[in-house]
Amino acid sequence: MARQTRSTIEGTVNGVDVDRLKSTVEVMRAVPDLAKFTFRATNRWMKGGLNRSSIGGFHGAGAENHRDGFIIDTAQPPLVAGGDEAPNPVEYLLHALVGCLTTTLVYHAAMQGVRIQAVESQVEGQLDLRSFLGLREDLPGGFEGVDVRFRVKADCSEAELAHLMDVARRRSPVANFVVRAVPTSVVCEAM
Amino acid sequence: MARQTRSTIEGTVNGVDVDRLKSTVEVMRAVPDLAKFTFRATNRWMKGGLNRSSIGGFHGAGAENHRDGFIIDTAQPPLVAGGDEAPNPVEYLLHALVGCLTTTLVYHAAMQGVRIQAVESQVEGQLDLRSFLGLREDLPGGFEGVDVRFRVKADCSEAELAHLMDVARRRSPVANFVVRAVPTSVVCEAM
């Protein structure tokens, strides 16, 4: 009977601490400067197509936020003269896109009291390597287009799901970014 | 005496198999369709702000390229109601950007016979969280701007290095993408 309780959502929904998220919303509504975040990475070349990023603290909510951080590599497959030690940079971009859309969907569903059982997605992007190789200066470079397909199992109607997905597409920071750069389709079906 | 040998670069430079890369260039110059690549990811929601991508095969050089692939997570820090199990999606976007710029720089240096000893970079992006939280529909969402700083130690003059960095910025697939979306600065100094 989730629907009857949606007006008084509290506690944790979809693994999201809704109380905390709502208090964050109220704080940032009152003091907009606290919503200004700066995220960072540093990177070091290892060899050939392999390099390594270190991701640590960030600035947000008016303070520096320390954390131990993460080390992540990127590399190239043999076809692009690499050793395939890690995903390549454009694959990380696709990961960022579906990861961000998923989190935005799950968070906004939680704030509206919609319980989610499963979210799966597939993404692909088309790239003409001639720009990277210097064969064509006139091509846009980067992805020419990006297509995302979601399958979601949630405690809501298909119309509500379509609305949630639309909210996710408009509010997801990475999706926003991708949509501004290239034609992007995002479709969603209920499981 | 690298400069004297630049007209006959062969073998491996900067860990990049230049012979292989040059033959790739020639093949794709002759048959442009072989330059059309499709990269992919699939993603599954785990809980809250945590989800997991699987990155495997890709289409390129006229064929499906299988590989065992990679599993990568993304999550949110506690300030954004998450468990901080992994970098968040916008941090992966920054990683993709500096990783791609670095690889493009190193590859093009190799093809020109410029030997590189070190590449280090820092990147940061500014984000107003009010778009994600639904407090402001009028904000662009995503990064408002991205700043990248490179330090490079290479067997070339500062002018040659500046030219290489410019080539990297124009040809890097992820940088191309980012530049189209938001104001982006890339500066480079010699170590």
Side-chain angles (χ1 to χ4, degrees):
Chain A
M1 301 301 283
R3 241 157 259 229
Q4 293 179 348
T5 63
R6 279 188 201 169
S7 58
T8 56
I9 301 309
E10 51 188 26
T12 296
V13 181
N14 302 334
V16 178
D17 183 339
V18 173
D19 294 341
R20 175 163 194 159
L21 197 57
K22 287 192 169 177
S23 79
T24 299
V25 169
E26 290 317 309
V27 164
M28 291 179 183
R29 190 198 305 275
V31 187
D33 271 359
L34 297 182
K36 295 188 189 307
F37 278 58
T38 299
F39 291 101
R40 314 182 189 108
T42 62
N43 183 282
R44 183 183 295 267
W45 174 55
M46 310 296 284
K47 62 171 181 177
L50 176 64
N51 59 71
R52 177 167 293 174
S53 287
S54 174
I55 292 171
F58 60 91
H59 182 87
E64 188 60 25
N65 296 268
H66 298 283
R67 58 180 175 174
D68 289 343
F70 307 97
I71 303 291
I72 44 175
D73 288 354
T74 183
Q76 293 292 342
L79 197 56
V80 192
D84 210 21
E85 299 91 344
N88 78 3
V90 296
E91 290 171 327
Y92 274 112
L93 182 57
L94 298 177
H95 163 63
L97 174 60
V98 285
C100 197
L101 277 166
T102 298
T103 297
T104 311
L105 178 75
V106 167
Y107 274 43
H108 283 281
M111 284 201 281
Q112 292 174 34
V114 175
R115 284 173 173 77
I116 290 187
Q117 283 83 46
V119 183
E120 295 174 6
S121 59
Q122 298 175 279
V123 58
E124 61 176 50
Q126 296 84 38
L127 188 71
D128 190 318
L129 216 62
R130 287 178 295 166
S131 176
F132 171 76
L133 294 171
L135 286 170
R136 289 281 296 268
E137 295 285 350
D138 57 319
L139 291 176
F143 286 123
E144 295 165 353
V146 173
D147 298 296
V148 189
R149 291 192 161 271
F150 270 89
R151 292 178 69 232
V152 179
K153 184 166 183 179
D155 176 26
C156 67
S157 70
E158 289 199 28
E160 285 174 298
L161 176 59
H163 173 70
L164 277 173
M165 196 73 236
D166 184 56
V167 167
R169 188 173 43 184
R170 283 186 287 110
R171 295 188 185 165
S172 152
V174 178
N176 244 290
F177 197 86
V178 170
V179 165
R180 270 184 279 164
V182 292
T184 306
S185 78
V186 180
V187 298
C188 179
E189 64 182 41
M191 275 189 217
Chain B
M1 301 302 281
R3 241 156 258 229
Q4 293 179 349
T5 62
R6 280 188 200 171
S7 57
T8 56
I9 301 311
E10 51 188 27
T12 295
V13 181
N14 303 332
V16 178
D17 183 339
V18 174
D19 295 340
R20 174 163 194 160
L21 197 58
K22 286 191 170 178
S23 80
T24 299
V25 169
E26 290 317 309
V27 164
M28 292 180 183
R29 189 198 306 275
V31 188
D33 271 358
L34 296 182
K36 295 188 189 306
F37 278 58
T38 299
F39 292 100
R40 314 181 189 110
T42 61
N43 184 282
R44 182 183 295 268
W45 175 56
M46 309 297 283
K47 61 172 182 178
L50 176 65
N51 60 71
R52 177 167 293 173
S53 287
S54 175
I55 291 171
F58 60 91
H59 182 87
E64 188 59 26
N65 295 269
H66 298 282
R67 57 179 175 175
D68 288 342
F70 308 97
I71 302 291
I72 43 176
D73 288 355
T74 183
Q76 293 293 341
L79 197 55
V80 193
D84 210 22
E85 298 92 343
N88 78 3
V90 295
E91 290 170 327
Y92 274 112
L93 182 57
L94 297 177
H95 163 62
L97 174 60
V98 286
C100 197
L101 278 165
T102 297
T103 297
T104 311
L105 178 75
V106 167
Y107 274 43
H108 284 280
M111 284 201 280
Q112 292 175 34
V114 174
R115 284 172 173 76
I116 290 187
Q117 285 83 45
V119 183
E120 295 173 8
S121 59
Q122 298 176 277
V123 59
E124 61 176 50
Q126 296 83 39
L127 188 71
D128 192 317
L129 216 63
R130 287 178 294 166
S131 176
F132 171 75
L133 294 172
L135 287 170
R136 290 281 296 269
E137 294 284 352
D138 57 319
L139 292 176
F143 287 123
E144 295 165 352
V146 173
D147 297 296
V148 189
R149 290 192 161 270
F150 270 89
R151 292 178 69 232
V152 179
K153 184 167 184 179
D155 176 27
C156 68
S157 70
E158 290 199 26
E160 285 174 298
L161 175 59
H163 174 70
L164 277 172
M165 195 73 238
D166 184 57
V167 167
R169 189 173 43 184
R170 282 186 287 111
R171 296 189 184 163
S172 152
V174 179
N176 244 291
F177 197 87
V178 170
V179 165
R180 271 183 279 164
V182 293
T184 306
S185 78
V186 181
V187 299
C188 178
E189 62 181 42
M191 277 189 217

